[in-house]
Amino acid sequence: MSTNIIVKRICEFCKSEFNARTTVTRFCSHRCAQRMYKVKLKESKIRQSDTETVYTKQVFKEKSLGDKPFLKVTEVAEVLDISRQAVYDMINSGRLEVHRLSSRKTRVSKEDLQSYLRKVREERFDERTESVVEPEESSGVVSYYSIKDLKDLFGKSRDGVYAVMTKYKVSKVKRGVTVFYVKAEADKAYRLENKPKYLGHERERMQNVKEAEKGLSISDCYAIEECVIMFKKRPGLLYGIFNRRKVPKFRDGQKVYYSKKAVDRIYSSMNKRS
């Protein structure tokens, strides 16, 4: 990202307009960055407290059910404070293990339920840590993406983001239990990962356009009659194929000739497919 530019940006914390030297600067000053960090940290602590409260309530409900090793669907719904249908949805999706004693009797072991609750708690903790925004460096040049930022940017899961960051060797720093990735390197990885790929015959068309710019002579070309014999196809069909691929052509009066190089490439690719 060039540093020889000045762009107008809106600070994410104070909402004031400021001059930035990069197009990805988020805050007008280091102070605003620190304040936003504290706000996010406070919100994450509140979410953690709420999660622990819910988890504690669920533990109390479990204890109230006694020492039964297996629970009915109704009892599971009561522990999780959800409907019976929601429990069945969890079972059908494979998120909650069950024991089917018969076609009409479904039971959930208390051990499996506790395992599910631990997993949910860990996932919520991951979301909490991912949402914390790391303060930018005071220079205003180096900044970072959290995992949550990268999930939104790439539209991938956490594992998918980790795979991309590893693939492009993006530098990272760790703050407590949270990992942050250097924004400039992550942006470059995003551009490389989403680099437009040639579709269909686009690469071939571009190659043919470049050849046409160099010019052709009749000795470099096939007549359409030669192409009919080579491909064993009607002239009308060949005209369509050559035009779609922008095959370079040479005109001699009303007669049209086609580049031997381009035609040979098409013939070779068609034979490979067959």
Side-chain angles (χ1 to χ4, degrees):
M1 195 63 69
S2 174
T3 58
N4 297 322
I5 62 173
I6 298 295
V7 293
K8 294 289 186 182
R9 299 282 294 171
I10 301 296
C11 178
E12 291 186 14
F13 181 76
C14 67
K15 309 302 180 187
S16 62
E17 187 177 286
F18 67 99
N19 293 330
R21 300 194 65 178
T22 75
T23 58
V24 295
T25 303
R26 300 171 60 190
F27 306 105
C28 63
S29 66
H30 182 59
R31 187 177 182 183
C32 277
Q34 287 181 319
R35 287 180 173 180
M36 177 61 82
Y37 172 72
K38 289 179 180 178
V39 168
K40 292 294 184 181
L41 190 60
K42 181 179 178 181
E43 291 175 352
S44 70
K45 288 181 178 178
I46 293 173
R47 284 195 295 271
Q48 182 188 17
S49 176
D50 291 342
T51 300
E52 290 175 348
T53 300
V54 172
Y55 183 77
T56 303
K57 286 182 178 178
Q58 290 168 342
V59 170
F60 286 155
K61 287 181 179 179
E62 284 183 71
K63 289 181 178 178
S64 68
L65 295 174
D67 298 328
K68 294 192 297 184
F70 293 94
L71 305 177
K72 298 178 181 178
V73 172
T74 303
E75 293 171 330
V76 174
E78 182 182 348
V79 169
L80 299 179
D81 197 21
I82 57 177
S83 66
R84 282 168 48 88
Q85 184 57 51
V87 176
Y88 281 117
D89 290 341
M90 291 164 55
I91 293 171
N92 294 333
S93 64
R95 287 180 292 160
L96 185 62
E97 294 289 335
V98 296
H99 299 269
R100 300 188 184 277
L101 305 181
S102 68
S103 59
R104 297 178 62 85
K105 286 186 178 182
T106 300
R107 297 291 184 267
V108 177
S109 74
K110 186 173 287 188
E111 184 179 342
D112 288 336
L113 180 58
Q114 291 170 339
S115 175
Y116 169 78
L117 291 175
R118 282 194 298 270
K119 184 177 179 182
V120 170
R121 192 184 186 195
E122 289 170 0
E123 289 175 353
R124 289 182 179 176
F125 178 77
D126 287 342
E127 292 175 359
R128 176 183 65 81
T129 56
E130 288 169 3
S131 65
V132 177
V133 178
E134 176 72 1
E136 296 182 345
E137 299 293 336
S138 57
S139 63
V141 176
V142 180
S143 53
Y144 302 93
Y145 279 131
S146 67
I147 294 298
K148 185 177 185 301
D149 293 332
L150 292 171
K151 284 168 63 178
D152 294 338
L153 178 65
F154 285 88
K156 295 179 179 289
S157 65
R158 293 173 71 248
D159 290 340
V161 167
Y162 288 137
V164 173
M165 295 299 100
T166 302
K167 176 181 176 182
Y168 294 101
K169 300 179 180 178
V170 178
S171 302
K172 60 185 178 181
V173 295
K174 196 168 183 180
R175 298 290 185 268
V177 297
T178 311
V179 175
F180 297 90
Y181 290 88
V182 175
K183 183 179 290 186
E185 295 182 26
D187 286 336
K188 183 178 179 181
Y190 177 81
R191 290 193 295 272
L192 293 173
E193 190 72 7
N194 293 276
K195 186 177 180 181
K197 297 179 175 60
Y198 293 110
L199 302 176
H201 304 295
E202 187 61 26
R203 185 186 293 275
E204 186 177 356
R205 282 193 285 269
M206 292 179 67
Q207 187 176 0
N208 287 338
V209 169
K210 288 181 180 179
E211 287 184 10
E213 291 173 353
K214 296 177 182 178
L216 291 172
S217 65
I218 195 168
S219 62
D220 298 323
C221 302
Y222 288 125
I224 190 65
E225 292 80 10
E226 295 176 287
C227 295
V228 168
I229 296 172
M230 181 187 303
F231 287 87
K232 298 180 181 179
K233 297 182 184 294
R234 294 179 291 103
L237 182 59
L238 290 177
Y239 288 136
I241 293 173
F242 295 164
N243 288 337
R244 283 195 297 274
R245 302 189 188 208
K246 296 186 182 297
V247 173
K249 50 192 175 184
F250 176 84
R251 289 185 179 275
D252 183 16
Q254 293 186 342
K255 201 164 181 68
V256 179
Y257 299 84
Y258 291 92
S259 165
K260 287 182 179 179
K261 287 184 179 179
V263 171
D264 287 342
R265 281 197 298 269
I266 296 172
Y267 181 76
S268 176
S269 65
M270 286 185 170
N271 280 343
K272 285 181 180 178
R273 288 200 300 268
S274 60

